[in-house]
Amino acid sequence: MEFSKIMDNVRFIAKVIEKEDLKKVDPHKVAKKAYELYWKANCEYGVVNSFKALGVFNFDYGQVMAISKQLPHKWNTICGAITGAFYLFALTLPEELLEKSVKELIKFHNETRLPIFEGNKKFNIPKVAVGSILCRDSIINWCKAAGIHPRSFERSERCARITGDLAYKTAKILNKYADALVGA
């Protein structure tokens, strides 16, 4: 999906969503909660509801599902942990910070050797920079580099850990702006 379409969606969400105040949150707690919640539903659910579960925002995955039906462009090919973060950016950040935040998260996902978050420590999950935010490409690139079958438990564990990583990075990005915006 082209970046312009991603931003069309993020701007659309920012227009239709009821804004919430930006609050600082412990990125480690958010990561742990997102990892746990991944196993209940999926990566987008994990990222969005980790902030809700910790009392940071009232916004939840049910609202994501309702808004996603109205998006100008379907982004079901993008990793849900990333789209979950996009909803949280739109929920809290002013227009002038949206694109910068989206680019920062995409760069982190594509260029960082992930996962960093340690979930179930009984599994040694290789760290790979996957180079794509598209879910299928991300999984295939990781599986090829790691030598792990796409339908394995290790692949699911990798996705759960990346859900934690992206929730962590989302919290870091939001925390960076919290003091400036709250004081404005």
Side-chain angles (χ1 to χ4, degrees), residues 62-110:
Q63 292 165 281
V64 167
M65 296 303 294
I67 294 170
S68 70
K69 295 174 186 171
Q70 305 169 45
L71 291 175
H73 312 283
K74 299 301 174 207
W75 57 18
N76 54 354
T77 58
I78 296 177
C79 168
I82 294 171
T83 60
F86 293 167
Y87 276 93
L88 297 176
F89 293 158
L91 176 70
T92 58
L93 297 177
E95 167 77 27
E96 64 271 12
L97 295 176
L98 289 175
E99 186 171 324
K100 181 178 180 181
S101 299
V102 166
K103 284 181 177 178
E104 184 176 346
L105 188 73
I106 290 172
K107 181 177 173 146
F108 171 79
H109 177 272
N110 288 351

Side-chain angles (χ1 to χ4, degrees), residues 4-41:
S4 63
K5 290 182 178 179
I6 291 170
M7 288 310 302
D8 286 348
N9 280 357
V10 173
R11 288 184 187 102
F12 174 83
I13 295 164
K15 286 180 184 156
V16 301
I17 205 166
E18 186 176 328
K19 290 283 195 181
E20 292 192 35
D21 291 335
L22 188 54
K23 299 174 202 151
K24 283 192 153 186
V25 62
D26 182 335
H28 297 287
K29 288 181 181 176
V30 168
K32 183 176 188 277
K33 184 54 76 177
Y35 171 83
E36 292 168 4
L37 291 173
Y38 166 87
W39 297 107
K40 291 188 178 192

